[in-house]
């Protein structure tokens, strides 16, 4: 039975602009300039940055975002287009929650004077306000979110999933959880390949034309896609059994990489400086 590190390697082909995002992430994680750095060190560094991003002030969070972006773009040589697409797409969920944070609606009949913020418009007996407190909260949240996302992307874009599984095994994560994660990760590629093949087959037969046609063909694709994917997955399971699978997926042993001295010093100095800035900001608030 092939090892864990052999599973994603089948997808290391030339990256195309129209490739699914998960495939592009998989290719970049194997081909970036920080690939050879110890995955345990990258995981610890990213975890520390995420923790600092969560508890720090917005100013420190913005500095963290710029610093982490420098690591991703300059050191790892990850395409900025991919990095910002991932960052912006992850922010969409936050954007959908902004109206609930920023906007307040009040009835003029119950208004007791005093402004609730900036008036956007008035309709009948209702007034729509932009809440200044909500605006401040939204700014703080977006600073925290982009800092945490960039720290997470630093690990995701520079470390292959196979090495992340090895790190989690080294940290004594339960085997059942790792096996479920591995099977799910492998299943995603099967699902994408099946959807891509069925979509091309529909287009070749004149499908996916017009709005109604696309809705109908997409519904058919979704229904048939899962059935076909389960057939392929059953074939994968049969192949594993024929190769001696005994209900225990054996993962490749952890292989620690070298961490350049420059990265060690820069990470330590950067984290210390950010902690000093954070402490000064907190001391200023207390004073």
């Amino acid at each position: 039975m092939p090892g864990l590190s052999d599973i994603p390697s089948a997808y290391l082909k030339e990256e195309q602009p129209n490739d699914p995002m998960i495939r592009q992430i998989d290719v970049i994680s194997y081909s970036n300039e920080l690939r050879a750095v110890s995955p345990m060190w990258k995981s610890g560094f990213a975890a520390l940055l995420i923790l600092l991003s969560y508890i720090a002030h917005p100013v420190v969070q913005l500095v963290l975002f710029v610093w982490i972006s420098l690591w991703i773009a300059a050191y790892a040589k990850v395409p900025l287009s991919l990095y910002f697409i991932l960052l912006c797409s992850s922010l969409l969920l936050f954007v959908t929650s902004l109206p609930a944070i920023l906007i307040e609606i009040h009835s003029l009949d119950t208004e007791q004077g005093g402004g609730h913020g900036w008036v956007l418009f008035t309709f009948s007996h209702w007034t729509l306000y932009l809440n200044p407190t909500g605006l401040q909260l939204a700014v703080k949240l977006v600073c925290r979110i982009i800092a945490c996302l960039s720290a997470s992307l630093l690990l995701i874009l520079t470390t292959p999933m196979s090495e992340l599984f090895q790190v989690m095994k080294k940290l004594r994560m339960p085997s059942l959880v790792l096996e479920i994660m591995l099977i799910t990760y492998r299943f995603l590629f099967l699902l994408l390949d099946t959807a891509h093949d069925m979509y091309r087959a529909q287009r070749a037969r004149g499908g996916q034309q017009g709005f109604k046609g696309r809705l109908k063909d997409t519904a058919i694709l979704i229904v048939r896609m899962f059935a076909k994917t389960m057939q392929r997955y059953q074939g994968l399971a049969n192949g594993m059994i024929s190769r001696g699978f005994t209900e225990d997926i054996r993962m490749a042993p952890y292989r620690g990489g070298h961490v350049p001295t420059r990265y060690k010093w820069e990470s330590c100095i950067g984290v210390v400086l950010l902690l000093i800035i954070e402490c000064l900001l907190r001391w200023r608030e207390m004073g």
Side-chain angles (χ1 to χ4, degrees):
M1 175 182 172
L4 173 64
S5 59
D6 296 330
I7 292 178
S9 61
Y11 300 96
L12 290 180
K13 61 180 182 179
E14 184 179 356
E15 183 182 359
Q16 301 295 332
N18 57 349
D19 278 344
M21 189 61 64
I22 186 174
R23 193 184 298 279
Q24 295 184 41
I25 294 173
D26 189 69
V27 172
I28 290 297
S29 66
Y30 277 91
S31 59
N32 68 90
E33 296 295 326
L34 295 180
R35 166 73 169 83
V37 178
S38 170
M40 184 68 75
W41 183 86
K42 286 186 289 187
S43 301
F45 183 46
L48 180 61
L49 293 178
I50 292 174
L51 178 61
L52 185 57
S53 300
Y54 186 78
I55 64 175
H57 282 72
V59 175
V60 179
Q61 291 167 348
L62 291 177
V63 175
L64 261 170
F65 168 68
V66 174
W67 186 40
I68 296 171
S69 300
L70 177 65
W71 277 78
I72 294 175
Y75 296 167
K77 296 296 193 307
V78 173
L80 281 176
S81 58
L82 175 64
Y83 170 56
F84 283 113
I85 287 174
L86 289 172
L87 190 66
C88 294
S89 60
S90 301
L91 285 172
L92 288 178
L93 184 62
F94 170 70
V95 172
T96 58
S97 66
L98 282 179
I101 298 175
L102 297 177
I103 297 176
E104 288 186 2
I105 302 176
H106 293 278
S107 174
L108 295 177
D109 298 333
T110 59
E111 201 83 31
Q112 297 180 356
H116 295 273
W118 298 299
V119 178
L120 298 179
F121 64 86
T122 301
F123 177 77
S124 183
H125 296 286
W126 301 93
T127 304
L128 196 68
Y129 292 94
L130 180 64
N131 189 357
T133 304
L135 182 60
Q136 295 177 2
L137 178 61
V139 172
K140 290 181 180 179
L141 287 176
V142 73
C143 292
R144 178 181 297 175
I145 290 172
I146 62 173
C148 292
L149 282 175
S150 59
S152 302
L153 290 175
L154 175 63
L155 181 63
I156 294 171
L157 294 174
T158 61
T159 310
M161 280 300 302
S162 59
E163 295 184 356
L164 290 178
F165 288 140
Q166 293 170 2
V167 170
M168 287 185 280
K169 182 180 180 181
K170 188 76 172 178
L171 297 176
R172 300 185 181 277
M173 180 168 285
S175 300
L176 179 60
V177 177
L178 288 177
E179 291 177 4
I180 293 175
M181 294 174 65
L182 170 60
I183 294 173
T184 304
Y185 178 68
R186 182 66 176 89
F187 186 78
L188 289 176
F189 288 96
L190 289 177
L191 192 65
L192 286 174
D193 289 341
T194 303
H196 182 261
D197 293 342
M198 295 181 67
Y199 178 79
R200 291 183 61 183
Q202 284 185 342
R203 291 294 300 269
R205 292 172 173 82
Q208 299 290 339
Q209 301 294 329
F211 180 73
K212 292 184 178 180
R214 288 188 177 183
L215 288 179
K216 180 180 178 181
D217 292 337
T218 301
I220 296 174
L221 186 147
I222 292 173
V223 172
R224 295 180 178 176
M225 178 181 62
F226 285 99
K228 191 172 180 62
T229 302
M230 291 307 298
Q231 292 177 1
R232 294 187 61 180
Y233 182 74
Q234 185 62 42
L236 174 65
N238 294 335
M240 294 172 61
I241 294 174
S242 65
R243 289 171 174 82
F245 177 64
T246 58
E247 298 184 358
D248 183 20
I249 300 179
R250 297 185 179 274
M251 300 184 184
Y254 172 77
R255 292 179 296 179
H258 174 68
V259 182
T261 306
R262 172 191 171 185
Y263 292 161
K264 292 181 180 179
W265 279 103
E266 183 171 342
S267 60
C268 292
I269 293 174
V271 170
V272 169
L273 289 177
L274 290 172
L275 287 174
I276 291 174
I277 296 174
E278 178 65 20
C279 291
L280 290 175
L281 290 174
R282 291 183 180 272
W283 177 76
R284 183 179 178 182
E285 288 181 352
M286 292 175 60

